[in-house]
Amino acid sequence: MSDSNAAVAGNSESAITISAMHKWYGDFHVLKDINLTVERGERIVICGPSGSGKSTMIRCINRLEEHQKGSINVGGIELTNDLKNIDTIRREVGMVFQHFNLFPHLTVLENCTLAPIWVRKMPKAEAEEVAMKYLERVKIPEQALKYPGQLSGGQQQRVAIARSLCMSPEIMLFDEPTSALDPEMIKEVLDVMVDLAKEGMTMLVVTHEMGFAKQVADRVIFMDGGEIIEQNEPNEFFDNPQSDRTKLFLSQILGH
Amino acid sequence: MSKSFVRTEFHPDLPAPISEAGIIGWLRHNLFSTWYNSLATLLVFYLAWLAIPPVIDWAFISSVWEANDYKECKAAGTGACWGMIDKRFNLFMYGFYDSNEFWRPNLAIVVFMIAMVPVLFDKVPGRKFCVPFLILGYPPLAVALIRGPVEMSTFQSTTGIVVWVAMFAGAVFLGHRGAKTLNAAMSGIGYTAAYIILFVIFISWGLGLTPTETDTYGGLMLTLILAGVGIAVSLPLGVLLALGRRASSMPIVQMLCIGFIEIIRSVPLISVLFMAQFMLPLFMPEGVKFDNVMRALVGFSLFAAAYMAEVIRGGLQAIPKGQFEAADSLGLNFYLNMRLIVLPQAMKIVIPGIVSTFIGLFKDTSLVSIIALADLLLVAKQSYTDSNWLGLEHTAYAFIAVIYFCICFSMSRYSMYLERKLHTGHKR
């Protein structure tokens, strides 16, 4: 069924296709006519002033927020009210949050094995093996038996990344992953994300870390007022912005 | 003085001054830290000196341990008449339950205590077996032991038996089909119905024991039955009601839950008990006989569930939205999210509230004496109005007060142990 959907849309190659998507909070029009196609393996950085709808947009992709108009197609599956489709999409789309949202009552290892065991029905031993592999990749295997409350912010965020990766997602969404971190911890999280990008993961990253955008992004998207204002390759985007709003934004964040 | 300063060696730890450490330090900090604190300390010591010796004298020194009636007690000493408790001990424990059958409630409570040990304490193995046993196996076993066969007219005709067997088969089929098609609601309803049918069939057989009359139940046994069933029903029902009350996507369920909780909570327990006593029979199909104890149990459990629901809702509201989102984003469905993420955290937060409700529930069982059930309180009252033991209310009430205290205090201590044990994330 997913194949036929994808064929109709004519985008069997792309990971995510958002077309003419609108969203309202009550009367407030937060997202206006969003059109975005993300290819497999593409790394996209989304930036913009606060309240511009960038977090809301990526949260629509795994249905943490519901869109009211237009369509979102993830990996060939149309996002509708059908709970089965939503669950399928959520299994394939990992998400990392600004405030980590680790489960405080479970150890780091249990945080990582929970979804593989209960959602993917993986045997416990195998899930633990996979979890340890990813904890090593984010460089904190030695913390596996601690509780999240015992870790620093940077460590918690790396656990959160490992937790998502344990579901072996096709796509990773990052919602301001470094905004709640102390400056000396930002780098350790960004390093993990850079590694991930180099391995070819499809990534959508909402962030203000322009260095990260320059280093790994294939495309930078600028949003303001609920609209996509401008998108371009990073070099072009930073050196030669077209819109006045983009120029103003860049001068504010790069100016100091 | 120069502005720059560099410390080159670390300062060693010195022992604390005597005013800060040891017994003197403790007394100073806790009992005599200020003049009003000192005054309060002295006052409390004075009051204790006034109160404790007479109590000890009454309970242990001038008390009478053996007597056949109140006159002997009065003659032998001025203190408590423990002889009465000794003579009427069975009444305090079992009410008028047939003394040849005491082994049955005894066995029920012993089995319960043994099965609870691994559940209460982590270090004892066997939890994997005991939890399902306590939830599924123990209730019918306890009913069968204490009550014996419950006579049900439907099992006396062949058609009745066929109908029940058919219902059981249907329920199992439904549950099985639900499990196969991953329909959690269908399998849940099917298997629950099958369990209830088995439960009914089992208690109608009642292990082949002699049936007992619920009118004869009394004393501590009745108190424990009421509190035990109330606790066992109110906790799961309270969870369901609390979740239902927050289910904004299902407005009708939400409305029913809010209605139930608010109506029950705005009515005194006594009136709920009276309602259960007089109204419940009106709603029951003809032929279903509800005895007094059963009616009290229904009223009691529903009342407790409404309070429990509000306590648990408090815990649910304390869970940050991010936890729900993280669980959603990992692909956990609603049921898994509640079971693995939300409820474990929410229940941990509200342990003090839950245990308070349990303790309140346990003490509220004494209200059933109003609908003529001989619980511990009524038995005590009957003791000192008995013509042999007139005027011994102090002794009777002191005895049941000690029982109530022991049970409630151990619940409260256990909750503190549980809180410490579950302490992981929120605070370091």
Side-chain angles (χ1 to χ4, degrees):
Chain A
M1 55 145 202
S2 54
D3 285 346
S4 64
N5 273 353
V8 170
N11 52 13
S12 55
E13 291 304 310
S14 43
I16 303 169
T17 312
I18 303 176
S19 49
M21 188 260 278
H22 292 256
K23 171 166 181 61
W24 287 263
Y25 282 132
D27 283 336
F28 180 49
H29 200 168
V30 258
L31 291 177
K32 300 167 186 163
D33 192 32
I34 304 289
N35 290 285
L36 177 68
T37 306
V38 182
E39 302 304 326
R40 288 184 200 279
E42 199 177 9
R43 289 141 302 185
I44 293 181
V45 164
I46 302 159
C47 60
S50 64
S52 60
K54 47 195 195 307
S55 287
T56 311
M57 185 184 82
I58 69 163
R59 288 157 61 88
C60 283
I61 294 170
N62 64 353
R63 196 58 160 206
L64 290 184
E65 305 281 353
E66 198 178 325
H67 62 282
Q68 279 89 34
K69 227 177 127 185
S71 75
I72 300 177
N73 188 304
V74 183
I77 300 170
E78 188 72 28
L79 198 51
T80 57
N81 276 326
D82 187 339
L83 287 176
K84 261 189 189 145
N85 281 0
I86 295 175
D87 280 345
T88 315
I89 288 173
R90 282 177 177 167
R91 277 200 288 273
E92 304 307 328
V93 178
M95 186 161 203
V96 175
F97 299 87
Q98 180 177 0
H99 296 288
F100 332 132
N101 297 349
L102 294 175
F103 305 129
H105 61 304
L106 301 175
T107 62
V108 164
L109 188 64
E110 287 166 340
N111 264 280
C112 292
T113 56
L114 184 100
I117 290 174
W118 290 94
V119 179
R120 289 236 191 265
K121 313 278 179 215
M122 197 185 273
K124 193 175 171 214
E126 193 189 334
E128 283 179 354
E129 205 177 298
V130 172
M132 286 313 292
K133 189 182 92 189
Y134 284 113
L135 286 173
E136 262 158 47
R137 247 176 76 178
V138 301
K139 303 184 187 71
I140 36 173
E142 71 282 0
Q143 313 284 7
L145 299 178
K146 287 195 182 165
Y147 286 94
Q150 297 167 298
L151 305 185
S152 74
Q155 290 173 323
Q156 291 196 39
Q157 192 61 298
R158 285 185 282 152
V159 172
I161 294 173
R163 176 177 71 177
S164 285
L165 291 176
C166 284
M167 286 292 281
S168 0
E170 304 272 324
I171 301 165
M172 285 285 285
L173 308 175
F174 293 83
D175 186 4
E176 306 208 25
T178 56
S179 300
L181 296 176
D182 290 337
E184 75 265 30
M185 293 170 183
I186 291 178
K187 188 176 175 301
E188 63 187 57
V189 171
L190 287 180
D191 285 348
V192 168
M193 289 167 61
V194 170
D195 282 349
L196 202 57
K198 282 181 185 152
E199 285 161 29
M201 173 69 77
T202 311
M203 291 165 73
L204 272 84
V205 185
V206 173
T207 186
H208 298 293
E209 295 296 328
M210 292 303 132
F212 175 79
K214 284 177 187 161
Q215 193 183 347
V216 302
D218 297 311
R219 193 169 13 144
V220 180
I221 292 176
F222 173 70
M223 288 183 72
D224 193 8
E227 294 173 289
I228 294 180
I229 305 291
E230 188 165 345
Q231 46 177 315
N232 215 330
E233 287 171 48
N235 288 338
E236 275 295 296
F237 179 83
F238 289 109
D239 298 342
N240 190 15
Q242 302 297 313
S243 143
D244 289 342
R245 280 197 267 179
T246 316
K247 284 177 194 162
L248 179 67
F249 176 73
L250 286 176
S251 74
Q252 278 165 344
I253 63 162
L254 299 174
H256 56 83
Chain B
M1 197 176 142
S2 150
K3 274 187 179 169
S4 84
F5 167 78
V6 178
R7 191 182 271 288
T8 47
E9 39 189 284
F10 287 102
H11 196 288
D13 289 345
L14 299 177
I18 197 143
S19 62
E20 293 300 311
I23 295 178
I24 296 174
W26 185 88
L27 285 176
R28 233 177 86 99
H29 276 290
N30 293 292
L31 300 183
F32 301 101
S33 54
T34 56
W35 66 266
Y36 46 87
N37 207 343
S38 310
L39 199 67
T41 304
L42 292 176
L43 189 68
V44 168
F45 277 131
Y46 176 66
L47 290 176
W49 183 69
L50 280 187
I52 293 174
V55 169
I56 290 177
D57 176 64
W58 178 83
F60 299 106
I61 297 166
S62 320
S63 56
V64 182
W65 297 84
E66 259 173 75
N68 290 315
D69 59 29
Y70 73 100
K71 284 175 198 143
E72 285 181 30
C73 267
K74 292 260 156 79
T78 52
C81 181
W82 300 125
M84 172 185 78
I85 306 293
D86 181 43
K87 288 280 177 315
R88 298 179 66 96
F89 188 73
N90 285 344
L91 279 171
F92 273 100
M93 292 298 117
Y94 307 96
F96 291 98
Y97 199 79
D98 184 351
S99 57
N100 294 320
E101 310 286 344
F102 281 171
W103 64 272
R104 286 158 55 175
N106 290 350
L107 183 62
I109 193 103
V110 166
V111 170
F112 177 76
M113 283 175 166
I114 292 173
M116 274 307 270
V117 171
V119 179
L120 293 180
F121 302 101
D122 272 350
K123 284 174 191 139
V124 185
R127 180 177 287 188
K128 276 216 165 107
F129 171 75
C130 286
V131 170
F133 168 73
L134 279 169
I135 296 173
L136 300 175
Y138 187 74
L141 180 70
V143 173
L145 271 176
I146 295 173
R147 177 79 167 81
V150 181
E151 216 173 277
M152 274 174 262
S153 49
T154 62
F155 291 112
Q156 266 142 32
S157 67
T158 326
T159 10
I161 293 171
V162 170
V163 167
W164 278 87
V165 170
M167 285 197 318
F168 179 70
V172 170
F173 175 75
L174 191 71
H176 185 69
R177 214 186 129 81
K180 246 173 136 182
T181 55
L182 295 176
N183 186 336
M186 193 203 269
S187 70
I189 291 171
Y191 284 132
T192 310
Y195 172 74
I196 292 172
I197 293 166
L198 269 189
F199 189 108
V200 170
I201 294 172
F202 183 82
I203 61 168
S204 77
W205 168 54
L207 298 169
L209 295 164
T210 331
T212 59
E213 288 303 322
T214 51
D215 303 351
T216 62
Y217 297 4
L220 183 61
M221 184 182 94
L222 180 62
T223 296
L224 288 178
I225 291 174
L226 288 167
V229 173
I231 287 172
V233 173
S234 68
L235 194 58
L237 196 57
V239 170
L240 290 180
L241 284 169
L243 291 176
R245 187 165 187 169
R246 283 167 56 91
S248 48
S249 56
M250 295 182 279
I252 295 188
V253 172
Q254 192 178 24
M255 225 170 60
L256 285 174
C257 290
I258 293 177
F260 176 84
I261 293 169
E262 293 305 333
I263 289 172
I264 296 273
R265 284 203 315 156
S266 43
V267 174
L269 175 55
I270 304 234
S271 50
V272 174
L273 289 175
F274 275 127
M275 286 269 285
Q277 202 69 355
F278 299 116
M279 306 274 287
L280 205 59
L282 302 181
F283 299 124
M284 286 293 140
E286 225 170 305
V288 177
K289 267 209 302 193
F290 252 44
D291 53 60
N292 268 0
V293 173
M294 192 68 199
R295 287 180 214 171
L297 280 176
V298 171
F300 214 66
S301 306
L302 295 183
F303 188 81
Y307 276 87
M308 194 57 76
E310 285 299 280
V311 171
I312 291 167
R313 190 167 68 94
L316 292 176
Q317 271 168 344
I319 305 299
K321 207 173 147 226
Q323 294 287 308
F324 292 86
E325 290 180 349
D328 282 346
S329 76
L330 286 168
L332 269 63
N333 59 27
F334 176 80
Y335 166 75
L336 287 177
N337 188 354
M338 288 301 134
R339 177 173 156 204
L340 301 170
I341 309 299
V342 176
L343 282 175
Q345 294 185 61
M347 300 296 267
K348 185 172 89 182
I349 297 171
V350 294
I351 287 171
I354 290 178
V355 175
S356 282
T357 314
F358 282 173
I359 290 174
L361 184 68
F362 183 77
K363 290 182 296 184
D364 281 349
T365 55
S366 54
L367 284 171
V368 297
S369 57
I370 289 178
I371 52 172
L373 292 179
D375 78 311
L376 204 49
L377 185 72
L378 193 59
V379 168
K381 210 171 191 173
Q382 287 166 348
S383 295
Y384 68 79
T385 47
D386 186 295
S387 58
N388 278 329
W389 303 102
L390 285 175
L392 294 173
E393 54 272 66
H394 293 91
T395 306
Y397 285 135
F399 179 63
I400 66 165
V402 169
I403 295 179
Y404 277 118
F405 177 80
C406 288
I407 294 173
C408 293
F409 188 64
S410 27
M411 281 200 263
S412 137
R413 296 307 296 186
Y414 180 73
S415 98
M416 290 168 86
Y417 159 81
L418 202 61
E419 274 172 63
R420 271 199 309 279
K421 191 185 84 181
L422 296 177
H423 219 128
T424 55
H426 303 301
K427 298 174 214 148
R428 290 210 188 164

